[in-house]
Amino acid sequence: MLLTAAALATTVAAVTTGCTKENKAAPPASPTASPTPTADPQAAEKDALLGVYRAFWDAQLKVYTSGSMKDTGIEKVAGDKAYSKIQTTRAYYVNNGSIMKGEPVLSPTVSVLDMTKTPATGTITDCVDTTGYIQVSKESGQPVETLDSKRRHLSTYTALKIAGAWQIRDLEIDRDRTC
């Protein structure tokens, strides 16, 4: 019993000492977490949009190197004005007996992403370098002279997210501005 009373007195003293005004000791410091960089909440959507942009270019390359829209997958990744512009360009190459050879160098960035709109919208800006992507005669494979000697153009692509999938809907190539 004497032992129990001593233990109780010690416990009461320990508890009440922490509650008095006289105790000026600072509470123990809690470990400080280092600030973590905030992740881009739209990173996954931007990645998905850039993935469709690259698929758009893959399909476009198939169209322009073959001269045909068939079995290229372009209808899945391009719609509206983008699809029409690709058809028109393909027809130009076919009518002139030429195709494209090589590949452009792309460096796209998502410059605008608005997930609050219905449908969601996105804009990709790219400096497309066509130095290694040239128009050639389909018959001979020889390069075709073109009027445009500039090989790096600022290009803008607009996209919509329809039924859960991004699609490139329009494109503008600024032939007056190089990058």
Side-chain angles (χ1 to χ4, degrees):
M1 176 113 136
L2 192 54
L3 189 57
T4 306
L8 182 59
T10 304
T11 303
V12 169
V15 170
T16 58
T17 302
C19 295
T20 65
K21 291 181 182 178
E22 296 170 17
N23 185 3
K24 306 240 186 227
S30 61
T32 307
S34 59
T36 57
T38 54
D40 182 353
Q42 296 181 323
E45 285 298 336
K46 288 178 179 179
D47 288 345
L49 181 52
L50 289 172
V52 167
Y53 175 74
R54 294 207 184 272
F56 168 81
W57 265 99
D58 290 345
Q60 189 177 200
L61 289 171
K62 289 177 187 174
V63 169
Y64 296 154
T65 58
S66 70
S68 172
M69 302 283 276
K70 188 176 178 182
D71 298 325
T72 61
I74 195 69
E75 70 284 346
K76 294 177 186 173
V77 293
D80 199 22
K81 293 177 183 174
Y83 188 83
S84 295
K85 288 175 181 181
I86 291 168
Q87 282 183 315
T88 301
T89 302
R90 183 205 62 83
Y92 168 82
Y93 291 145
V94 169
N95 289 340
N96 287 296
S98 59
I99 57 172
M100 294 300 290
K101 184 178 178 182
E103 290 186 24
V105 175
L106 307 174
S107 51
T109 58
V110 176
S111 51
V112 177
L113 184 63
D114 189 346
M115 299 302 294
T116 63
K117 289 185 177 179
T118 303
T121 62
T123 303
I124 295 170
T125 306
D126 197 350
C127 177
V128 180
D129 182 348
T130 59
T131 303
Y133 185 54
I134 59 171
Q135 185 177 346
V136 298
S137 166
K138 187 173 183 176
E139 188 177 301
S140 70
Q142 295 300 310
V144 174
E145 285 191 47
T146 59
L147 298 175
D148 192 2
S149 62
K150 299 173 190 165
R151 304 304 290 178
R152 294 172 51 93
H153 296 287
L154 183 64
S155 301
T156 306
Y157 301 80
T158 54
L160 296 177
K161 189 171 186 180
I162 300 170
W166 285 103
Q167 188 179 62
I168 305 298
R169 304 293 287 198
D170 198 4
L171 61 106
E172 291 297 324
I173 302 168
D174 190 343
R175 298 201 185 278
D176 294 328
R177 272 179 65 193
T178 58
C179 47

